[in-house]
Amino acid sequence: MKIFLNSRHAQHAGRQEMFRGRMVDCHEVPARLQHVLDELARRPVGTVLTPAPDLPLDAALRRVHSAEYLDFLSCAWNEWVAMDTANAERDALPSVWPLAQPHAFRTDAPPQNFAARLGQYAFDSGTPLMAGSWTAAREGAACALAAAQAALAGERCAFALTRPPGHHAGPAFMGGYCFLNNGAIAAQALRDGGLARVAVLDIDYHHGNGTQTIFYERDDVLTVSIHGDPRTEYPFFLGHADERGADAGEGFNLNLPLPRGTGIQAWLGTLQRALQAVSDFAPQALVVPMGLDTFEGDPISGFTLRSADYLQVGRALASLGLPTVITMEGGYAVAEVGVNAVNVLEGFVTA
Ligand code: Q9C
Ligand code: ZN
């Protein structure tokens, strides 16, 4: 297995996120990735590499994200500081949004004020943006692209070991700790590398809303997500079972929401349904946005998987026999995220 490490991940290190009326310490911290690296040093299930510096990254980003959004992200920090030099000491967070209700707000007359523009692109106030966020997110996307290229070149499994995560980021939106959708970038790169059909199977605790939105009208990329029921779980406004895709994409999105408290038995049963749907689609490659926030000890999630369960998860993913790109998504039980992530990888490679 090739493992592409984001060597710039620590340049993104948010301080606090808004949670129920107060600022709380960020859950999505650099130590998460270090724990995975430490565990990989103990159990070397693959070769740790960094992506080549000359990958066609900008082209790959534009295949998934709008040019306007990419411009916004690349300039965001400078514009935040330009508002007020004191902002250099503060992370950027939005606090006002154009709520989508009839005749309420216009989206065709974008404001110039940067704090307002942030509300055009960010769907929550839990995703702080700082000086190094763009650099870190961009290098993470390079890891996803490198992993896709490795899979195209015949690698059975390639892992993008990166943060910030990606699966909540859409064509022109950020949120849920995500800026660039690494899984979608990998899936699109696999398509552009000549594969006719690619499946994305998202196993993060939270619905992969960004990925769903990106591919919603397409029949060449199947999107499947197993997640906490959005009636009670973040991101709340997408992820229901009746979202099946639109237009040409109708029937090519599958949501499998599960109630808070779901344990490994029911979760694995649902994974079997997901694997059957993937297999029925007959893809040439699989992308797995891998969240470890299904763990029983996760501080912000509600499933009860245990560390040893992740070996079974990896084995089940491998059972499809497909070239597979795995991207690192959530997982906030920081001390255990290394063991849990490497258990999935070990389960996969020893299957
Ligand atoms: N202020 C991932 O696991 N929590 N993202 C709500 C809002 C957001 C999780 C807090 C959870 C996002 C990749
Ligand atoms: Zn998550």
Side-chain angles (χ1 to χ4, degrees):
M1 168 173 324
K2 286 189 172 165
I3 299 168
F4 293 95
L5 166 68
N6 181 351
S7 59
R8 303 201 225 256
H9 78 91
Q11 291 190 45
H12 176 73
R15 282 162 269 209
Q16 294 203 303
E17 58 185 270
M18 175 67 84
F19 180 72
R20 298 186 187 169
R22 67 193 172 116
M23 299 304 289
V24 301
D25 290 348
C26 282
H27 298 283
E28 202 292 287
V29 293
R32 298 175 58 243
L33 191 145
Q34 190 56 49
H35 278 283
V36 181
L37 264 185
D38 291 348
E39 189 62 23
L40 283 170
R42 285 187 277 272
R43 280 189 284 159
V45 297
T47 314
V48 179
L49 306 161
T50 50
D54 59 347
L55 293 174
L57 179 59
D58 289 311
L61 295 180
R62 282 196 296 268
R63 295 286 287 145
V64 163
H65 297 287
S66 75
E68 290 77 10
Y69 175 60
L70 293 168
D71 275 353
F72 164 79
L73 276 186
S74 65
C75 299
W77 179 253
N78 285 346
E79 292 192 30
W80 171 249
V81 175
M83 286 189 84
D84 179 348
T85 53
N87 278 356
E89 303 305 315
R90 303 171 186 138
D91 297 347
L93 279 181
S95 52
V96 60
W97 292 270
L99 194 70
Q101 290 185 12
H103 305 296
F105 291 103
R106 288 177 60 173
T107 50
D108 63 328
Q112 287 168 8
N113 177 285
F114 177 77
R117 285 184 64 221
L118 192 49
Q120 284 183 270
Y121 293 107
F123 68 81
D124 71 11
S125 55
T127 310
L129 185 152
M130 70 224 57
S133 299
W134 171 243
T135 300
R138 207 169 175 287
E139 181 68 8
C143 293
L145 178 56
Q149 290 193 348
L152 286 166
E155 198 73 25
R156 173 70 211 285
C157 184
F159 177 42
L161 175 50
T162 188
R163 54 168 295 282
H167 76 148
H168 294 301
F173 59 81
M174 53 178 271
Y177 316 150
C178 304
F179 301 89
L180 297 173
N181 193 314
N182 302 313
I185 289 161
Q188 185 62 49
L190 290 163
R191 283 283 296 107
D192 292 339
L195 306 187
R197 287 178 309 283
V198 175
V200 180
L201 171 48
D202 189 318
I203 59 169
D204 187 277
Y205 179 76
H206 305 95
H207 175 241
N209 64 294
T211 319
Q212 172 171 315
T213 299
I214 288 164
F215 296 114
Y216 207 59
E217 297 184 353
R218 288 172 51 174
D219 60 3
D220 57 330
V221 178
L222 174 73
T223 46
V224 181
S225 181
I226 304 172
H227 50 266
D229 191 325
R231 286 179 295 187
T232 59
E233 307 307 300
Y234 184 95
F236 305 116
F237 302 106
L238 207 68
H240 300 274
D242 65 352
E243 297 155 16
R244 302 194 61 255
D247 301 318
E250 195 167 343
F252 296 91
N253 184 77
L254 176 63
N255 284 333
L256 299 167
L258 293 169
R260 250 191 117 75
T262 293
I264 184 61
Q265 220 172 346
W267 194 92
L268 278 179
T270 303
L271 181 63
Q272 285 308 324
R273 275 188 65 192
L275 294 173
Q276 186 62 54
V278 170
S279 170
D280 290 347
F281 179 64
Q284 286 87 28
L286 174 69
V287 176
V288 179
M290 178 182 74
L292 293 316
D293 40 12
T294 49
F295 179 57
E296 61 178 350
D298 196 273
I300 64 168
S301 308
F303 292 166
T304 64
L305 274 62
R306 299 178 171 202
S307 289
D309 297 335
Y310 291 100
L311 289 159
Q312 286 191 71
V313 174
R315 281 197 287 271
L317 294 172
S319 73
L320 287 170
L322 290 166
T324 301
V325 171
I326 301 177
T327 61
M328 178 81 183
E329 303 290 340
Y332 309 102
V334 175
E336 290 94 348
V337 75
V339 169
N340 295 345
V342 178
N343 276 358
V344 177
L345 305 181
E346 183 179 319
F348 193 106
V349 297
T350 59

